[in-house]
Amino acid sequence: MKHFYFLLFCSVLLPTKAVTITTQNLPAPANYDCGDAKAKLNNVLFGATPPNASPNQPVIVFVHGWFDNGYSWFMAKNQWYQKCYNAGYNTAFFFHTRSGLMQENGAVIADMIRATCEHFNTNNVIAVCHSKGGLDMEFALYNSGIADSVSGVITLSSPFYGAALGDFIANPLIKLVTENIPIVGEIFRGKGTYQLQTAYMTGVVRPMMDNSAENRPEKFRCFGAWGFNNIMRFPPNIPDDIAKVVFYEQYRPLCFDIPGLGVIAGGLMTAGFTLLGGVSKIIPIPSAYQYPNYDNNKYTDGLVSYYSAFRPGATEVSERPPSTNSFLNHVDVLLSSETWDEVYEQIQYCTQNPVLRKANQASVPTNKSYQRDAIASNYNLLKTKTLPITVNRQTQLQLIGNYNNLNIKIYNNNQLIKTIQQDLATDSYINLFHSIDLSDLNENTNYTLEFNQAVTALFVDGNEAALSLAFNQNYATNTDLNSLKIYANNFNANYKEIQVEAILNRNMDEFTDVVYESSITIPMIFNQQEQCYQIKEIPNLKNGIYNLTIVANTKTISRTLTTSIAINKNEVLNKNSKLYIYPNIISNNDVQLKYYSAVSKNDIINIYNLEGKLIFQQAVNLQAGENQLTLNTSNVSLAKGIYIVQLNESSAKIIKQ
């Protein structure tokens, strides 16, 4: 008896076009200069072979994450190369796209692994992956036929269940800012950035990866972190090569130490991650199903929740909060000075206990429902030219984005108190936020801020009023908007005085394409029986990934929550036609399809595996209108895995459970 389970976000694993991989040899660490590592796209840097290298030792390959071009393994005296060399390991450093699709990066990484194996005459590598690099490696392992070459994967803060930053960037107000930042805006526009949304990773990628035919969860050894406000400890004097992480091919570092630069850079990054950790308070993160009782929002490294960093079935190698072992921010975990001892221990373990492909793959349940944590928010995300405030010790105002000739006038009882004039520029996510100094204003006093141009801002007024959100989401990608409940806590107002709206903005369609659509604003009504706000009428929504923002306002208080949700109406929509696969579980040799055709025609249905190989084909005669089709797959050997069903321009994926 055959059992199929299918996902309807269709082009998640479509075959991708090949790219040309280039390679470069590094000198031995003793002769290395900071300009020797060429940060070139689709390039592999091969380390020199250590004199104490064993011919049976695996090669350590380093896979970078989002916003990073791979040079961070070398920047600011980051000594991964030197430490691996001294330990007797050959090394390779991969430079692929920073915010590209995971499936595209995975294909490139697979080619890089093949090139590495050929260069060092081996078939055994251990991957060390930072952040999104762990997700890219997943796609490389399970879709490119290199699983037997990778004996272990060590991940450092990889967001296996998505990242709060992904949800934040997808907010319509924020993406208008981030996508237009000079130089780095293209990173925020990348499809891989939108894939980091928690709804996409939890509802689409996890079921697909965890039930892949190639799934070997014990191959992964995962390190998480929670010290978003940890003070970064760069060496005090570092070269200027840190800029090469962003300005990769254009920047030529001077390669001599600049006194105090490490202190300055570390301070800026500490401030940035501290703020991002605070921002996560307005971004509810879904509970990973194997950690349902933990506060995923409370523990974060500034970008990734501690509990999002663990792949189902993998080994958790870090110590859970409040351990100081994992009190690191998202860049700390990238620094050899902080994590080499832990990573080296895992390299030794993987060397002695390689995990390759086996006949009996581990199974991870997929179709599990859970209740989202009710996450409270005391932040407000707004776009305005006028802002009334009452100053107290908790008052914070952070402007987001670029502002030329910004003029801020501060009034008290219509009397001008002071004027602030500034030019604010953003060139990375670290300085995305600009703090406005209100420290010289009197506490417990009412003021009005007037801006000469509309600003996007995060505002904390110090009041205890907060929103909390809860709703049910099926693990197989469908959000139940009927279950959405919003609680307004400590607003000190009658429910009739609180206006609550849900704003929905679709940013990814079911074909994994980033889309730019107008937001839908939906009023919410008060449910007196349950003392919460709910959507009265659920709109007819297209399939895809949405940003959900909740805004609650009174005359004196405003609050915001933002997150991501997946909408899947159990159908696959093509731009010109419709293809349905049903039922959800198919318990015989027949796959049932329903297809709507605009015209009568003869066509062919194809089934491909993930390598793009045609494994089944059946001719069909289509009539204009709705067609019910049956595919007899009894003579086809369909191993456990993911397949692409294609008819004309429609496609869907089937996963065999």
Side-chain angles (χ1 to χ4, degrees), residues 232-454:
M232 292 194 64
R233 293 183 292 272
F234 280 136
N237 303 326
I238 60 174
D240 59 327
D241 63 343
I242 194 170
K244 200 170 179 178
V245 173
V246 177
F247 309 100
Y248 52 108
E249 291 194 65
Q250 304 96 326
Y251 191 76
R252 298 292 180 266
L254 300 175
C255 293
F256 60 79
D257 286 355
I258 300 176
L261 181 58
V263 177
I264 296 172
L268 288 173
M269 288 191 178
T270 298
F273 285 118
T274 298
L275 183 58
L276 288 173
V279 169
S280 67
K281 297 300 182 182
I282 68 168
I283 309 168
I285 301 174
S287 298
Y289 62 80
Q290 68 274 62
Y291 299 110
N293 299 318
Y294 289 90
D295 186 346
N296 286 350
N297 247 57
K298 181 177 180 180
Y299 300 113
T300 173
D301 66 8
L303 297 186
V304 178
S305 159
Y306 181 85
Y307 293 105
S308 179
F310 301 107
R311 195 180 185 280
T315 300
E316 180 182 352
V317 299
S318 51
E319 298 174 7
R320 295 184 181 182
S323 170
T324 56
N325 162 273
S326 54
F327 188 71
L328 304 168
N329 68 36
H330 196 70
V331 170
D332 287 331
V333 298
L334 181 64
L335 302 178
S336 63
S337 58
E338 299 287 350
T339 55
W340 164 254
D341 290 343
E342 183 67 65
V343 170
Y344 182 49
E345 181 180 334
Q346 304 311 317
I347 289 174
Q348 290 177 306
Y349 179 89
C350 294
T351 300
Q352 298 165 8
N353 303 276
V355 179
L356 303 175
R357 190 185 312 168
K358 297 179 181 178
N360 299 316
Q361 287 80 17
S363 178
V364 179
T366 61
N367 198 18
K368 186 168 183 176
S369 298
Y370 58 87
Q371 179 77 24
R372 282 205 178 207
D373 297 332
I375 303 298
S377 164
N378 63 352
Y379 274 72
N380 184 34
L381 176 64
L382 50 86
K383 189 175 184 67
T384 185
K385 294 183 70 174
T386 304
L387 178 64
I389 65 171
T390 301
V391 174
N392 56 48
R393 292 182 180 179
Q394 286 78 42
T395 302
Q396 298 177 38
L397 177 62
Q398 307 282 345
L399 302 189
I400 305 172
N402 299 306
Y403 301 97
N404 295 321
N405 300 316
L406 178 65
N407 183 283
I408 308 172
K409 293 182 178 180
I410 303 178
Y411 294 89
N412 172 242
N413 293 326
N414 297 321
Q415 181 179 354
L416 180 64
I417 302 300
K418 65 179 297 187
T419 298
I420 301 174
Q421 290 183 320
Q422 288 183 304
D423 287 322
L424 304 176
T426 297
D427 57 20
S428 76
Y429 67 87
I430 295 297
N431 65 346
L432 176 63
F433 305 93
H434 309 286
S435 179
I436 302 301
D437 184 9
L438 305 174
S439 60
D440 60 344
L441 300 181
N442 296 326
E443 286 195 29
N444 303 316
T445 304
N446 297 324
Y447 296 93
T448 299
L449 276 60
E450 290 188 359
F451 306 90
N452 66 332
Q453 55 189 286

Side-chain angles (χ1 to χ4, degrees), residues 195-260:
Q195 286 182 313
L196 293 176
Q197 292 176 92
T198 55
Y200 185 82
M201 288 302 305
T202 304
V204 179
V205 174
R206 286 273 49 88
M208 182 169 51
M209 293 287 98
D210 299 341
N211 288 273
S212 167
E214 306 293 343
N215 185 33
R216 301 296 295 149
E218 61 271 44
K219 191 191 293 279
F220 285 77
R221 307 186 70 78
C222 305
F223 187 97
W226 64 283
F228 69 92
N229 56 347
N230 183 41
I231 298 176
M232 292 194 64
R233 293 183 292 272
F234 280 136
N237 303 326
I238 60 174
D240 59 327
D241 63 343
I242 194 170
K244 200 170 179 178
V245 173
V246 177
F247 309 100
Y248 52 108
E249 291 194 65
Q250 304 96 326
Y251 191 76
R252 298 292 180 266
L254 300 175
C255 293
F256 60 79
D257 286 355
I258 300 176

